[in-house]
Amino acid sequence: MENKERNTSELLLQVVVQSTNDKMSVTEIKNSLHERGFGILLAIAALPICLPVPVPPGYTTFFSIPLFIFSVQMIWGMKSPWLPEWIGKKEISRKSLEKMIEKATPWLRKIESYLHPRLTYISVHAWERIIGIFAFIFTISIALPIPLTNFPPGWGILIMSLGLLNKDGLTIIVGMIVGTIGVGITLIILTLIWMGVSMPSFY
């Protein structure tokens, strides 16, 4: 029961503290946070996309794979997350995970300070299905290898997942709006590219 009362930021720190290995498999991370279900796994998958750090080509496309998997499962109404074995066996350096969590913790705590149960007449399971639909659409935008189009949808998913974890329906709606704006930006850029409009050099 004690674990369920912990914030997302505290649970993420717990993952690193409890591990004694140099590398952690995706399955190990999932199992250590199992009690928080889809919300925490969506947050972990979206976190690398949301951090304002330089990333190599294909980085966001790789992280979109678990987002696709989880969002489809949420739409389907599955009670707990499932991962294919080839993703579960993927290993992450403990130091890399620790560095990412350390960078994210200050602003995660700031966001969490504003979260509390709202719109609770909608069940968590119903919210999961709604979030799954929006997360699937946002992930399509994240998967596209177009600079500047991954960040807002990634934040949309992260905010929705934090709202789900804290049973905060208003925050979930805010995440939907943020991600939808990001998808809108993607559509505008794709339309401009299709029309042959000259884009900045990073395109």
Side-chain angles (χ1 to χ4, degrees), residues 65 118 176-177:
I65 295 171
R118 285 177 281 200
M176 290 172 180
I177 293 168

Side-chain angles (χ1 to χ4, degrees), residues 2 5 25 81 183 194:
E2 185 186 351
E5 294 170 358
S25 73
V183 171
W194 179 74

Side-chain angles (χ1 to χ4, degrees), residues 42 46 49 60-72 131-144 149-150 153-154 157 160 179 183:
L42 272 183
I49 298 162
T60 55
T61 304
F62 172 78
F63 278 99
S64 69
I65 295 171
L67 290 173
F68 271 125
I69 292 170
F70 295 140
S71 61
V72 168
I131 290 169
I133 294 167
F134 278 85
F136 184 83
I137 295 167
F138 297 167
T139 304
I140 294 171
S141 180
I142 291 168
L144 295 173
T149 62
N150 319 117
I157 292 174
M160 287 193 302
V183 171

Side-chain angles (χ1 to χ4, degrees), residues 109-181:
R109 284 181 174 163
K110 194 171 285 188
I111 293 170
E112 286 168 343
S113 67
Y114 295 101
L115 302 180
H116 56 85
R118 285 177 281 200
L119 304 183
T120 52
Y121 55 85
I122 302 176
S123 70
V124 169
H125 192 55
W127 271 128
E128 281 186 353
R129 286 195 154 179
I130 297 166
I131 290 169
I133 294 167
F134 278 85
F136 184 83
I137 295 167
F138 297 167
T139 304
I140 294 171
S141 180
I142 291 168
L144 295 173
I146 304 174
L148 307 181
T149 62
N150 319 117
F151 202 67
W155 265 99
I157 292 174
L158 180 61
I159 294 168
M160 287 193 302
S161 63
L162 292 174
L164 180 65
L165 288 164
N166 291 274
K167 297 182 176 64
D168 189 339
L170 185 60
T171 296
I172 292 172
I173 292 169
V174 170
M176 290 172 180
I177 293 168
V178 170
T180 301
I181 291 169

Side-chain angles (χ1 to χ4, degrees), residues 147 198-203:
S198 180
M199 304 299 289
S201 58
F202 49 72
Y203 284 101

Side-chain angles (χ1 to χ4, degrees), residues 6 19 26 34-35 41 54 75 78 81 95 97 101 118 136-137 139 141 144 147 152 161 169 199 201:
R6 290 178 178 170
S19 174
V26 174
H34 177 70
E35 76 278 3
L41 292 173
I75 295 168
M78 289 178 66
K95 284 187 177 179
L97 188 63
I101 291 171
R118 285 177 281 200
F136 184 83
I137 295 167
T139 304
S141 180
L144 295 173
S161 63
M199 304 299 289
S201 58

